[in-house]
């Protein structure tokens, strides 16, 4: 039972499982993971990793989110 519970917990933390829930990972032109919109410039090409593939997008707008913590 403990092993089953631990397996389920690890499965939920699997990056691919997180992508399956609709999340994506964006990378800059050098392949570095983006955490801030101002890591890239207007017009840059951004890579987007999805659960079942990837795509490229061009930056047309950047907006900084205000943390409410």
């Amino acid at each position: 039972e403990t092993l089953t519970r631990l397996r389920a917990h690890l499965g939920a933390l699997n990056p691919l499982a997180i992508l399956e829930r609709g999340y994506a990972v964006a990378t800059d032109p050098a392949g570095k993971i983006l955490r801030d919109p101002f890591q890239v410039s207007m017009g840059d090409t951004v890579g987007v990793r999805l659960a079942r593939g990837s795509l490229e997008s061009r930056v047309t707008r950047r907006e900084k989110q205000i943390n409410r913590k």
Side-chain angles (χ1 to χ4, degrees):
E1 184 178 311
T2 301
L3 184 57
T4 301
R5 192 172 59 245
L6 288 172
R7 243 188 222 136
H9 183 67
L10 284 175
L13 297 175
N14 178 341
L16 296 177
I18 293 169
L19 294 177
E20 279 292 336
R21 294 197 304 260
Y23 290 90
V25 176
T27 55
D28 70 9
K32 295 180 184 175
I33 293 175
L34 295 174
R35 291 178 176 83
D36 187 291
F38 291 93
Q39 287 178 256
V40 292
S41 299
M42 298 296 291
D44 278 357
T45 299
V46 175
V48 182
R49 173 70 163 92
L50 306 168
R52 295 183 196 101
S54 62
L55 51 89
E56 287 188 355
S57 298
R58 187 161 314 277
V59 177
T60 60
R61 184 173 59 93
R62 299 178 302 173
E63 184 176 316
K64 184 88 171 184
Q65 181 178 356
I66 300 171
N67 287 334
R68 296 183 183 129
K69 291 183 180 182

